[in-house]
PDB file of all heavy atoms in Angstrom:
ATOM      1  N   ASP A   1       0.814  -1.246  -0.011  1.00 87.00           N
ATOM      2  CA  ASP A   1       0.006  -0.037   0.016  1.00 87.00           C
ATOM      3  C   ASP A   1       0.872   1.269   0.009  1.00 87.00           C
ATOM      4  O   ASP A   1       0.526   2.237  -0.674  1.00 87.00           O
ATOM      5  CB  ASP A   1      -0.924  -0.011   1.224  1.00 87.00           C
ATOM      6  CG  ASP A   1      -2.067  -1.007   1.044  1.00 87.00           C
ATOM      7  OD1 ASP A   1      -2.307  -1.426  -0.068  1.00 87.00           O
ATOM      8  OD2 ASP A   1      -2.706  -1.321   2.098  1.00 87.00           O
ATOM      9  N   ALA A   2       1.969   1.214   0.718  1.00 88.00           N
ATOM     10  CA  ALA A   2       2.837   2.350   0.788  1.00 88.00           C
ATOM     11  C   ALA A   2       3.460   2.656  -0.588  1.00 88.00           C
ATOM     12  O   ALA A   2       3.502   3.807  -1.012  1.00 88.00           O
ATOM     13  CB  ALA A   2       3.956   2.121   1.810  1.00 88.00           C
ATOM     14  N   LEU A   3       3.850   1.613  -1.335  1.00 89.00           N
ATOM     15  CA  LEU A   3       4.373   1.868  -2.649  1.00 89.00           C
ATOM     16  C   LEU A   3       3.285   2.372  -3.620  1.00 89.00           C
ATOM     17  O   LEU A   3       3.552   3.269  -4.478  1.00 89.00           O
ATOM     18  CB  LEU A   3       4.964   0.573  -3.189  1.00 89.00           C
ATOM     19  CG  LEU A   3       6.319   0.177  -2.683  1.00 89.00           C
ATOM     20  CD1 LEU A   3       6.763  -1.195  -3.188  1.00 89.00           C
ATOM     21  CD2 LEU A   3       7.382   1.194  -3.051  1.00 89.00           C
ATOM     22  N   LEU A   4       2.071   1.872  -3.499  1.00 89.00           N
ATOM     23  CA  LEU A   4       1.008   2.280  -4.365  1.00 89.00           C
ATOM     24  C   LEU A   4       0.669   3.754  -4.144  1.00 89.00           C
ATOM     25  O   LEU A   4       0.235   4.460  -5.095  1.00 89.00           O
ATOM     26  CB  LEU A   4      -0.251   1.422  -4.106  1.00 89.00           C
ATOM     27  CG  LEU A   4      -0.211  -0.050  -4.595  1.00 89.00           C
ATOM     28  CD1 LEU A   4      -1.417  -0.773  -4.091  1.00 89.00           C
ATOM     29  CD2 LEU A   4      -0.179  -0.068  -6.106  1.00 89.00           C
ATOM     30  N   ASP A   5       0.892   4.254  -2.928  1.00 87.00           N
ATOM     31  CA  ASP A   5       0.593   5.671  -2.661  1.00 87.00           C
ATOM     32  C   ASP A   5       1.755   6.610  -2.952  1.00 87.00           C
ATOM     33  O   ASP A   5       1.654   7.800  -2.852  1.00 87.00           O
ATOM     34  CB  ASP A   5       0.194   5.785  -1.185  1.00 87.00           C
ATOM     35  CG  ASP A   5      -1.178   5.176  -0.936  1.00 87.00           C
ATOM     36  OD1 ASP A   5      -1.945   5.047  -1.875  1.00 87.00           O
ATOM     37  OD2 ASP A   5      -1.443   4.825   0.251  1.00 87.00           O
ATOM     38  N   SER A   6       2.938   6.006  -3.300  1.00 89.00           N
ATOM     39  CA  SER A   6       4.096   6.862  -3.532  1.00 89.00           C
ATOM     40  C   SER A   6       3.958   7.638  -4.837  1.00 89.00           C
ATOM     41  O   SER A   6       3.305   7.242  -5.779  1.00 89.00           O
ATOM     42  CB  SER A   6       5.375   5.961  -3.603  1.00 89.00           C
ATOM     43  OG  SER A   6       5.291   5.130  -4.724  1.00 89.00           O
ATOM     44  N   PRO A   7       4.566   8.826  -4.881  1.00 88.00           N
ATOM     45  CA  PRO A   7       4.450   9.720  -6.083  1.00 88.00           C
ATOM     46  C   PRO A   7       4.888   9.105  -7.361  1.00 88.00           C
ATOM     47  O   PRO A   7       4.307   9.380  -8.443  1.00 88.00           O
ATOM     48  CB  PRO A   7       5.304  10.937  -5.668  1.00 88.00           C
ATOM     49  CG  PRO A   7       5.363  10.929  -4.197  1.00 88.00           C
ATOM     50  CD  PRO A   7       5.371   9.488  -3.814  1.00 88.00           C
ATOM     51  N   GLY A   8       5.875   8.210  -7.307  1.00 87.00           N
ATOM     52  CA  GLY A   8       6.391   7.591  -8.490  1.00 87.00           C
ATOM     53  C   GLY A   8       5.479   6.511  -9.082  1.00 87.00           C
ATOM     54  O   GLY A   8       5.590   6.165 -10.258  1.00 87.00           O
ATOM     55  N   ILE A   9       4.638   5.914  -8.247  1.00 87.00           N
ATOM     56  CA  ILE A   9       3.824   4.814  -8.654  1.00 87.00           C
ATOM     57  C   ILE A   9       2.428   5.256  -9.062  1.00 87.00           C
ATOM     58  O   ILE A   9       1.727   4.669  -9.931  1.00 87.00           O
ATOM     59  CB  ILE A   9       3.727   3.746  -7.536  1.00 87.00           C
ATOM     60  CG1 ILE A   9       5.119   3.285  -7.176  1.00 87.00           C
ATOM     61  CG2 ILE A   9       2.915   2.533  -8.012  1.00 87.00           C
ATOM     62  CD1 ILE A   9       5.930   2.635  -8.279  1.00 87.00           C
ATOM     63  N   ALA A  10       1.903   6.316  -8.377  1.00 84.00           N
ATOM     64  CA  ALA A  10       0.583   6.771  -8.621  1.00 84.00           C
ATOM     65  C   ALA A  10       0.239   7.009 -10.087  1.00 84.00           C
ATOM     66  O   ALA A  10      -0.873   6.621 -10.558  1.00 84.00           O
ATOM     67  CB  ALA A  10       0.314   8.032  -7.795  1.00 84.00           C
ATOM     68  N   PRO A  11       1.142   7.586 -10.843  1.00 88.00           N
ATOM     69  CA  PRO A  11       0.807   7.788 -12.289  1.00 88.00           C
ATOM     70  C   PRO A  11       0.541   6.505 -13.072  1.00 88.00           C
ATOM     71  O   PRO A  11      -0.222   6.454 -14.041  1.00 88.00           O
ATOM     72  CB  PRO A  11       2.062   8.508 -12.847  1.00 88.00           C
ATOM     73  CG  PRO A  11       2.688   9.165 -11.703  1.00 88.00           C
ATOM     74  CD  PRO A  11       2.425   8.213 -10.517  1.00 88.00           C
ATOM     75  N   LEU A  12       1.148   5.393 -12.619  1.00 90.00           N
ATOM     76  CA  LEU A  12       0.935   4.108 -13.277  1.00 90.00           C
ATOM     77  C   LEU A  12      -0.509   3.643 -13.115  1.00 90.00           C
ATOM     78  O   LEU A  12      -1.102   3.067 -14.011  1.00 90.00           O
ATOM     79  CB  LEU A  12       1.860   3.032 -12.693  1.00 90.00           C
ATOM     80  CG  LEU A  12       3.354   3.233 -12.978  1.00 90.00           C
ATOM     81  CD1 LEU A  12       4.210   2.198 -12.192  1.00 90.00           C
ATOM     82  CD2 LEU A  12       3.642   3.129 -14.494  1.00 90.00           C
ATOM     83  N   ILE A  13      -1.097   3.970 -11.915  1.00 88.00           N
ATOM     84  CA  ILE A  13      -2.499   3.594 -11.738  1.00 88.00           C
ATOM     85  C   ILE A  13      -3.399   4.368 -12.613  1.00 88.00           C
ATOM     86  O   ILE A  13      -4.489   3.853 -13.025  1.00 88.00           O
ATOM     87  CB  ILE A  13      -2.848   3.842 -10.246  1.00 88.00           C
ATOM     88  CG1 ILE A  13      -1.980   2.925  -9.350  1.00 88.00           C
ATOM     89  CG2 ILE A  13      -4.324   3.516  -9.955  1.00 88.00           C
ATOM     90  CD1 ILE A  13      -2.172   3.077  -7.875  1.00 88.00           C
ATOM     91  N   ALA A  14      -3.045   5.554 -13.001  1.00 87.00           N
ATOM     92  CA  ALA A  14      -3.874   6.322 -13.901  1.00 87.00           C
ATOM     93  C   ALA A  14      -3.836   5.783 -15.333  1.00 87.00           C
ATOM     94  O   ALA A  14      -4.769   5.943 -16.117  1.00 87.00           O
ATOM     95  CB  ALA A  14      -3.436   7.798 -13.885  1.00 87.00           C
ATOM     96  N   ALA A  15      -2.688   5.132 -15.688  1.00 90.00           N
ATOM     97  CA  ALA A  15      -2.483   4.651 -17.022  1.00 90.00           C
ATOM     98  C   ALA A  15      -2.822   3.183 -17.224  1.00 90.00           C
ATOM     99  O   ALA A  15      -2.971   2.726 -18.416  1.00 90.00           O
ATOM    100  CB  ALA A  15      -1.063   4.900 -17.493  1.00 90.00           C
ATOM    101  N   HIS A  16      -2.921   2.479 -16.141  1.00 92.00           N
ATOM    102  CA  HIS A  16      -3.177   0.983 -16.225  1.00 92.00           C
ATOM    103  C   HIS A  16      -4.207   0.559 -15.210  1.00 92.00           C
ATOM    104  O   HIS A  16      -4.516   1.303 -14.233  1.00 92.00           O
ATOM    105  CB  HIS A  16      -1.878   0.223 -15.954  1.00 92.00           C
ATOM    106  CG  HIS A  16      -0.738   0.535 -16.907  1.00 92.00           C
ATOM    107  ND1 HIS A  16      -0.638  -0.081 -18.112  1.00 92.00           N
ATOM    108  CD2 HIS A  16       0.313   1.388 -16.759  1.00 92.00           C
ATOM    109  CE1 HIS A  16       0.446   0.361 -18.721  1.00 92.00           C
ATOM    110  NE2 HIS A  16       1.031   1.294 -17.899  1.00 92.00           N
ATOM    111  N   PRO A  17      -4.849  -0.598 -15.419  1.00 93.00           N
ATOM    112  CA  PRO A  17      -5.811  -1.091 -14.427  1.00 93.00           C
ATOM    113  C   PRO A  17      -5.106  -1.208 -13.057  1.00 93.00           C
ATOM    114  O   PRO A  17      -3.945  -1.653 -12.975  1.00 93.00           O
ATOM    115  CB  PRO A  17      -6.195  -2.439 -14.994  1.00 93.00           C
ATOM    116  CG  PRO A  17      -5.972  -2.363 -16.446  1.00 93.00           C
ATOM    117  CD  PRO A  17      -4.763  -1.466 -16.598  1.00 93.00           C
ATOM    118  N   ARG A  18      -5.794  -0.822 -12.011  1.00 92.00           N
ATOM    119  CA  ARG A  18      -5.212  -0.881 -10.665  1.00 92.00           C
ATOM    120  C   ARG A  18      -4.748  -2.288 -10.294  1.00 92.00           C
ATOM    121  O   ARG A  18      -3.710  -2.441  -9.697  1.00 92.00           O
ATOM    122  CB  ARG A  18      -6.199  -0.392  -9.600  1.00 92.00           C
ATOM    123  CG  ARG A  18      -5.688  -0.400  -8.189  1.00 92.00           C
ATOM    124  CD  ARG A  18      -6.652   0.130  -7.189  1.00 92.00           C
ATOM    125  NE  ARG A  18      -6.139   0.005  -5.813  1.00 92.00           N
ATOM    126  CZ  ARG A  18      -5.357   0.896  -5.243  1.00 92.00           C
ATOM    127  NH1 ARG A  18      -4.981   1.988  -5.924  1.00 92.00           N
ATOM    128  NH2 ARG A  18      -4.915   0.658  -3.991  1.00 92.00           N
ATOM    129  N   SER A  19      -5.533  -3.251 -10.710  1.00 93.00           N
ATOM    130  CA  SER A  19      -5.173  -4.662 -10.340  1.00 93.00           C
ATOM    131  C   SER A  19      -3.831  -5.055 -10.990  1.00 93.00           C
ATOM    132  O   SER A  19      -3.034  -5.831 -10.343  1.00 93.00           O
ATOM    133  CB  SER A  19      -6.260  -5.624 -10.846  1.00 93.00           C
ATOM    134  OG  SER A  19      -6.423  -5.557 -12.247  1.00 93.00           O
ATOM    135  N   LEU A  20      -3.519  -4.556 -12.149  1.00 93.00           N
ATOM    136  CA  LEU A  20      -2.259  -4.837 -12.791  1.00 93.00           C
ATOM    137  C   LEU A  20      -1.088  -4.226 -12.050  1.00 93.00           C
ATOM    138  O   LEU A  20      -0.051  -4.869 -11.821  1.00 93.00           O
ATOM    139  CB  LEU A  20      -2.262  -4.362 -14.274  1.00 93.00           C
ATOM    140  CG  LEU A  20      -1.079  -4.767 -15.118  1.00 93.00           C
ATOM    141  CD1 LEU A  20      -1.485  -5.059 -16.555  1.00 93.00           C
ATOM    142  CD2 LEU A  20       0.009  -3.650 -15.114  1.00 93.00           C
ATOM    143  N   VAL A  21      -1.282  -2.917 -11.606  1.00 92.00           N
ATOM    144  CA  VAL A  21      -0.209  -2.257 -10.879  1.00 92.00           C
ATOM    145  C   VAL A  21       0.017  -2.910  -9.555  1.00 92.00           C
ATOM    146  O   VAL A  21       1.164  -3.071  -9.079  1.00 92.00           O
ATOM    147  CB  VAL A  21      -0.547  -0.759 -10.719  1.00 92.00           C
ATOM    148  CG1 VAL A  21       0.537  -0.045  -9.986  1.00 92.00           C
ATOM    149  CG2 VAL A  21      -0.783  -0.124 -12.072  1.00 92.00           C
ATOM    150  N   VAL A  22      -1.094  -3.338  -8.897  1.00 93.00           N
ATOM    151  CA  VAL A  22      -0.943  -4.021  -7.616  1.00 93.00           C
ATOM    152  C   VAL A  22      -0.159  -5.307  -7.743  1.00 93.00           C
ATOM    153  O   VAL A  22       0.778  -5.598  -6.946  1.00 93.00           O
ATOM    154  CB  VAL A  22      -2.340  -4.326  -7.014  1.00 93.00           C
ATOM    155  CG1 VAL A  22      -2.195  -5.309  -5.778  1.00 93.00           C
ATOM    156  CG2 VAL A  22      -3.059  -3.035  -6.593  1.00 93.00           C
ATOM    157  N   ARG A  23      -0.440  -6.068  -8.784  1.00 95.00           N
ATOM    158  CA  ARG A  23       0.325  -7.259  -9.047  1.00 95.00           C
ATOM    159  C   ARG A  23       1.799  -6.946  -9.312  1.00 95.00           C
ATOM    160  O   ARG A  23       2.690  -7.670  -8.802  1.00 95.00           O
ATOM    161  CB  ARG A  23      -0.248  -8.004 -10.230  1.00 95.00           C
ATOM    162  CG  ARG A  23       0.463  -9.324 -10.558  1.00 95.00           C
ATOM    163  CD  ARG A  23      -0.154  -9.980 -11.806  1.00 95.00           C
ATOM    164  NE  ARG A  23       0.696 -11.037 -12.256  1.00 95.00           N
ATOM    165  CZ  ARG A  23       0.492 -11.748 -13.406  1.00 95.00           C
ATOM    166  NH1 ARG A  23      -0.550 -11.428 -14.202  1.00 95.00           N
ATOM    167  NH2 ARG A  23       1.331 -12.664 -13.775  1.00 95.00           N
ATOM    168  N   ALA A  24       2.067  -5.889 -10.060  1.00 93.00           N
ATOM    169  CA  ALA A  24       3.447  -5.530 -10.374  1.00 93.00           C
ATOM    170  C   ALA A  24       4.222  -5.143  -9.108  1.00 93.00           C
ATOM    171  O   ALA A  24       5.347  -5.536  -8.903  1.00 93.00           O
ATOM    172  CB  ALA A  24       3.469  -4.388 -11.372  1.00 93.00           C
ATOM    173  N   VAL A  25       3.543  -4.411  -8.195  1.00 91.00           N
ATOM    174  CA  VAL A  25       4.191  -4.011  -6.949  1.00 91.00           C
ATOM    175  C   VAL A  25       4.484  -5.254  -6.060  1.00 91.00           C
ATOM    176  O   VAL A  25       5.545  -5.353  -5.509  1.00 91.00           O
ATOM    177  CB  VAL A  25       3.299  -2.996  -6.181  1.00 91.00           C
ATOM    178  CG1 VAL A  25       3.801  -2.826  -4.786  1.00 91.00           C
ATOM    179  CG2 VAL A  25       3.214  -1.652  -6.964  1.00 91.00           C
ATOM    180  N   ARG A  26       3.536  -6.118  -5.979  1.00 94.00           N
ATOM    181  CA  ARG A  26       3.704  -7.318  -5.160  1.00 94.00           C
ATOM    182  C   ARG A  26       4.844  -8.171  -5.700  1.00 94.00           C
ATOM    183  O   ARG A  26       5.670  -8.693  -4.957  1.00 94.00           O
ATOM    184  CB  ARG A  26       2.390  -8.094  -5.130  1.00 94.00           C
ATOM    185  CG  ARG A  26       1.374  -7.543  -4.191  1.00 94.00           C
ATOM    186  CD  ARG A  26       0.093  -8.317  -4.193  1.00 94.00           C
ATOM    187  NE  ARG A  26      -0.867  -7.782  -3.221  1.00 94.00           N
ATOM    188  CZ  ARG A  26      -2.136  -7.964  -3.276  1.00 94.00           C
ATOM    189  NH1 ARG A  26      -2.711  -8.691  -4.275  1.00 94.00           N
ATOM    190  NH2 ARG A  26      -2.951  -7.494  -2.332  1.00 94.00           N
ATOM    191  N   GLU A  27       4.889  -8.320  -7.042  1.00 93.00           N
ATOM    192  CA  GLU A  27       5.966  -9.130  -7.645  1.00 93.00           C
ATOM    193  C   GLU A  27       7.362  -8.458  -7.393  1.00 93.00           C
ATOM    194  O   GLU A  27       8.340  -9.181  -7.128  1.00 93.00           O
ATOM    195  CB  GLU A  27       5.727  -9.317  -9.176  1.00 93.00           C
ATOM    196  CG  GLU A  27       4.613 -10.256  -9.455  1.00 93.00           C
ATOM    197  CD  GLU A  27       4.555 -10.603 -10.927  1.00 93.00           C
ATOM    198  OE1 GLU A  27       5.390 -10.061 -11.695  1.00 93.00           O
ATOM    199  OE2 GLU A  27       3.680 -11.409 -11.296  1.00 93.00           O
ATOM    200  N   THR A  28       7.395  -7.133  -7.419  1.00 91.00           N
ATOM    201  CA  THR A  28       8.650  -6.413  -7.157  1.00 91.00           C
ATOM    202  C   THR A  28       9.097  -6.573  -5.716  1.00 91.00           C
ATOM    203  O   THR A  28      10.287  -6.823  -5.475  1.00 91.00           O
ATOM    204  CB  THR A  28       8.478  -4.927  -7.523  1.00 91.00           C
ATOM    205  OG1 THR A  28       8.011  -4.752  -8.872  1.00 91.00           O
ATOM    206  CG2 THR A  28       9.798  -4.210  -7.362  1.00 91.00           C
ATOM    207  N   VAL A  29       8.150  -6.487  -4.811  1.00 90.00           N
ATOM    208  CA  VAL A  29       8.524  -6.697  -3.375  1.00 90.00           C
ATOM    209  C   VAL A  29       8.940  -8.153  -3.134  1.00 90.00           C
ATOM    210  O   VAL A  29       9.887  -8.403  -2.491  1.00 90.00           O
ATOM    211  CB  VAL A  29       7.306  -6.306  -2.498  1.00 90.00           C
ATOM    212  CG1 VAL A  29       7.614  -6.676  -1.036  1.00 90.00           C
ATOM    213  CG2 VAL A  29       7.006  -4.815  -2.613  1.00 90.00           C
ATOM    214  N   ASP A  30       8.213  -9.062  -3.707  1.00 91.00           N
ATOM    215  CA  ASP A  30       8.564 -10.485  -3.598  1.00 91.00           C
ATOM    216  C   ASP A  30       9.949 -10.792  -4.108  1.00 91.00           C
ATOM    217  O   ASP A  30      10.700 -11.552  -3.542  1.00 91.00           O
ATOM    218  CB  ASP A  30       7.519 -11.388  -4.261  1.00 91.00           C
ATOM    219  CG  ASP A  30       6.224 -11.403  -3.592  1.00 91.00           C
ATOM    220  OD1 ASP A  30       6.122 -10.991  -2.378  1.00 91.00           O
ATOM    221  OD2 ASP A  30       5.193 -11.808  -4.152  1.00 91.00           O
ATOM    222  N   ALA A  31      10.302 -10.128  -5.220  1.00 90.00           N
ATOM    223  CA  ALA A  31      11.622 -10.329  -5.827  1.00 90.00           C
ATOM    224  C   ALA A  31      12.702  -9.764  -4.867  1.00 90.00           C
ATOM    225  O   ALA A  31      13.768 -10.392  -4.709  1.00 90.00           O
ATOM    226  CB  ALA A  31      11.722  -9.675  -7.191  1.00 90.00           C
ATOM    227  N   ALA A  32      12.414  -8.631  -4.264  1.00 88.00           N
ATOM    228  CA  ALA A  32      13.408  -8.076  -3.359  1.00 88.00           C
ATOM    229  C   ALA A  32      13.518  -8.992  -2.142  1.00 88.00           C
ATOM    230  O   ALA A  32      14.634  -9.182  -1.598  1.00 88.00           O
ATOM    231  CB  ALA A  32      12.946  -6.669  -2.905  1.00 88.00           C
ATOM    232  N   ARG A  33      12.416  -9.535  -1.671  1.00 90.00           N
ATOM    233  CA  ARG A  33      12.477 -10.458  -0.484  1.00 90.00           C
ATOM    234  C   ARG A  33      13.322 -11.671  -0.854  1.00 90.00           C
ATOM    235  O   ARG A  33      14.122 -12.139   0.000  1.00 90.00           O
ATOM    236  CB  ARG A  33      11.037 -10.825  -0.086  1.00 90.00           C
ATOM    237  CG  ARG A  33      10.987 -11.705   1.152  1.00 90.00           C
ATOM    238  CD  ARG A  33       9.602 -12.017   1.548  1.00 90.00           C
ATOM    239  NE  ARG A  33       8.893 -10.832   2.036  1.00 90.00           N
ATOM    240  CZ  ARG A  33       7.989 -10.165   1.445  1.00 90.00           C
ATOM    241  NH1 ARG A  33       7.523 -10.648   0.245  1.00 90.00           N
ATOM    242  NH2 ARG A  33       7.398  -9.083   1.942  1.00 90.00           N
ATOM    243  N   ALA A  34      13.139 -12.229  -2.032  1.00 88.00           N
ATOM    244  CA  ALA A  34      13.916 -13.415  -2.444  1.00 88.00           C
ATOM    245  C   ALA A  34      15.380 -13.022  -2.644  1.00 88.00           C
ATOM    246  O   ALA A  34      16.258 -13.959  -2.522  1.00 88.00           O
ATOM    247  CB  ALA A  34      13.359 -13.931  -3.757  1.00 88.00           C
ATOM    248  N   ASN A  35      15.651 -11.778  -2.800  1.00 85.00           N
ATOM    249  CA  ASN A  35      17.086 -11.283  -2.946  1.00 85.00           C
ATOM    250  C   ASN A  35      17.656 -10.882  -1.602  1.00 85.00           C
ATOM    251  O   ASN A  35      18.591 -10.074  -1.556  1.00 85.00           O
ATOM    252  CB  ASN A  35      17.091 -10.156  -3.950  1.00 85.00           C
ATOM    253  CG  ASN A  35      18.504  -9.830  -4.368  1.00 85.00           C
ATOM    254  OD1 ASN A  35      19.364 -10.695  -4.479  1.00 85.00           O
ATOM    255  ND2 ASN A  35      18.737  -8.521  -4.640  1.00 85.00           N
ATOM    256  N   GLY A  36      17.128 -11.422  -0.497  1.00 84.00           N
ATOM    257  CA  GLY A  36      17.669 -11.142   0.764  1.00 84.00           C
ATOM    258  C   GLY A  36      17.222  -9.821   1.385  1.00 84.00           C
ATOM    259  O   GLY A  36      17.786  -9.374   2.369  1.00 84.00           O
ATOM    260  N   GLY A  37      16.177  -9.159   0.828  1.00 80.00           N
ATOM    261  CA  GLY A  37      15.643  -7.937   1.326  1.00 80.00           C
ATOM    262  C   GLY A  37      16.301  -6.734   0.736  1.00 80.00           C
ATOM    263  O   GLY A  37      16.066  -5.588   1.156  1.00 80.00           O
ATOM    264  N   ASN A  38      17.171  -6.950  -0.297  1.00 85.00           N
ATOM    265  CA  ASN A  38      17.864  -5.770  -0.921  1.00 85.00           C
ATOM    266  C   ASN A  38      16.883  -5.089  -1.879  1.00 85.00           C
ATOM    267  O   ASN A  38      16.247  -5.709  -2.729  1.00 85.00           O
ATOM    268  CB  ASN A  38      19.080  -6.270  -1.707  1.00 85.00           C
ATOM    269  CG  ASN A  38      20.127  -6.844  -0.799  1.00 85.00           C
ATOM    270  OD1 ASN A  38      20.442  -6.248   0.217  1.00 85.00           O
ATOM    271  ND2 ASN A  38      20.650  -8.021  -1.129  1.00 85.00           N
ATOM    272  N   ALA A  39      16.872  -3.764  -1.815  1.00 83.00           N
ATOM    273  CA  ALA A  39      16.003  -2.995  -2.691  1.00 83.00           C
ATOM    274  C   ALA A  39      16.528  -3.027  -4.126  1.00 83.00           C
ATOM    275  O   ALA A  39      17.738  -3.311  -4.366  1.00 83.00           O
ATOM    276  CB  ALA A  39      15.993  -1.555  -2.251  1.00 83.00           C
ATOM    277  N   PRO A  40      15.700  -2.881  -5.133  1.00 87.00           N
ATOM    278  CA  PRO A  40      16.142  -2.869  -6.541  1.00 87.00           C
ATOM    279  C   PRO A  40      17.284  -1.857  -6.732  1.00 87.00           C
ATOM    280  O   PRO A  40      17.233  -0.744  -6.144  1.00 87.00           O
ATOM    281  CB  PRO A  40      14.912  -2.477  -7.354  1.00 87.00           C
ATOM    282  CG  PRO A  40      13.728  -2.890  -6.441  1.00 87.00           C
ATOM    283  CD  PRO A  40      14.202  -2.614  -5.026  1.00 87.00           C
ATOM    284  N   ALA A  41      18.321  -2.231  -7.507  1.00 85.00           N
ATOM    285  CA  ALA A  41      19.434  -1.396  -7.661  1.00 85.00           C
ATOM    286  C   ALA A  41      19.081   0.026  -8.221  1.00 85.00           C
ATOM    287  O   ALA A  41      19.743   1.012  -7.872  1.00 85.00           O
ATOM    288  CB  ALA A  41      20.440  -2.032  -8.596  1.00 85.00           C
ATOM    289  N   ASP A  42      18.077   0.077  -9.095  1.00 84.00           N
ATOM    290  CA  ASP A  42      17.703   1.390  -9.704  1.00 84.00           C
ATOM    291  C   ASP A  42      16.502   1.984  -9.021  1.00 84.00           C
ATOM    292  O   ASP A  42      15.886   2.918  -9.604  1.00 84.00           O
ATOM    293  CB  ASP A  42      17.492   1.255 -11.198  1.00 84.00           C
ATOM    294  CG  ASP A  42      16.528   0.127 -11.523  1.00 84.00           C
ATOM    295  OD1 ASP A  42      16.108  -0.604 -10.623  1.00 84.00           O
ATOM    296  OD2 ASP A  42      16.154   0.027 -12.733  1.00 84.00           O
ATOM    297  N   GLY A  43      16.119   1.484  -7.890  1.00 88.00           N
ATOM    298  CA  GLY A  43      15.008   2.085  -7.132  1.00 88.00           C
ATOM    299  C   GLY A  43      13.694   1.414  -7.380  1.00 88.00           C
ATOM    300  O   GLY A  43      13.489   0.640  -8.331  1.00 88.00           O
ATOM    301  N   TRP A  44      12.758   1.614  -6.407  1.00 89.00           N
ATOM    302  CA  TRP A  44      11.438   0.930  -6.450  1.00 89.00           C
ATOM    303  C   TRP A  44      10.611   1.396  -7.628  1.00 89.00           C
ATOM    304  O   TRP A  44       9.971   0.568  -8.314  1.00 89.00           O
ATOM    305  CB  TRP A  44      10.718   1.201  -5.157  1.00 89.00           C
ATOM    306  CG  TRP A  44      11.349   0.440  -3.975  1.00 89.00           C
ATOM    307  CD1 TRP A  44      12.083   0.966  -2.969  1.00 89.00           C
ATOM    308  CD2 TRP A  44      11.187  -0.952  -3.720  1.00 89.00           C
ATOM    309  NE1 TRP A  44      12.493   0.016  -2.104  1.00 89.00           N
ATOM    310  CE2 TRP A  44      11.923  -1.165  -2.513  1.00 89.00           C
ATOM    311  CE3 TRP A  44      10.576  -2.022  -4.298  1.00 89.00           C
ATOM    312  CZ2 TRP A  44      12.039  -2.429  -1.943  1.00 89.00           C
ATOM    313  CZ3 TRP A  44      10.616  -3.304  -3.769  1.00 89.00           C
ATOM    314  CH2 TRP A  44      11.386  -3.490  -2.582  1.00 89.00           C
ATOM    315  N   ASP A  45      10.641   2.667  -7.902  1.00 89.00           N
ATOM    316  CA  ASP A  45       9.809   3.208  -8.990  1.00 89.00           C
ATOM    317  C   ASP A  45      10.185   2.578 -10.348  1.00 89.00           C
ATOM    318  O   ASP A  45       9.306   2.112 -11.082  1.00 89.00           O
ATOM    319  CB  ASP A  45       9.912   4.740  -9.115  1.00 89.00           C
ATOM    320  CG  ASP A  45       9.305   5.408  -7.880  1.00 89.00           C
ATOM    321  OD1 ASP A  45       8.631   4.756  -7.084  1.00 89.00           O
ATOM    322  OD2 ASP A  45       9.455   6.681  -7.770  1.00 89.00           O
ATOM    323  N   ALA A  46      11.421   2.521 -10.642  1.00 90.00           N
ATOM    324  CA  ALA A  46      11.858   1.977 -11.915  1.00 90.00           C
ATOM    325  C   ALA A  46      11.612   0.454 -11.988  1.00 90.00           C
ATOM    326  O   ALA A  46      11.153  -0.063 -13.062  1.00 90.00           O
ATOM    327  CB  ALA A  46      13.370   2.235 -12.135  1.00 90.00           C
ATOM    328  N   ALA A  47      11.805  -0.217 -10.873  1.00 91.00           N
ATOM    329  CA  ALA A  47      11.546  -1.703 -10.883  1.00 91.00           C
ATOM    330  C   ALA A  47      10.033  -1.959 -11.097  1.00 91.00           C
ATOM    331  O   ALA A  47       9.661  -2.917 -11.808  1.00 91.00           O
ATOM    332  CB  ALA A  47      12.010  -2.283  -9.557  1.00 91.00           C
TER     333      ALA A  47
END
């Protein structure tokens, strides 16, 4: 929810179905979790 409300992610919700963006955020967080908790190298918004 925090990522969905962030300024970098909000525009994506305007351009795509919310369910798709939610799935993308969850997959990104899950990938970071599988990587030992390390954030994406180029930042959450880009990922």
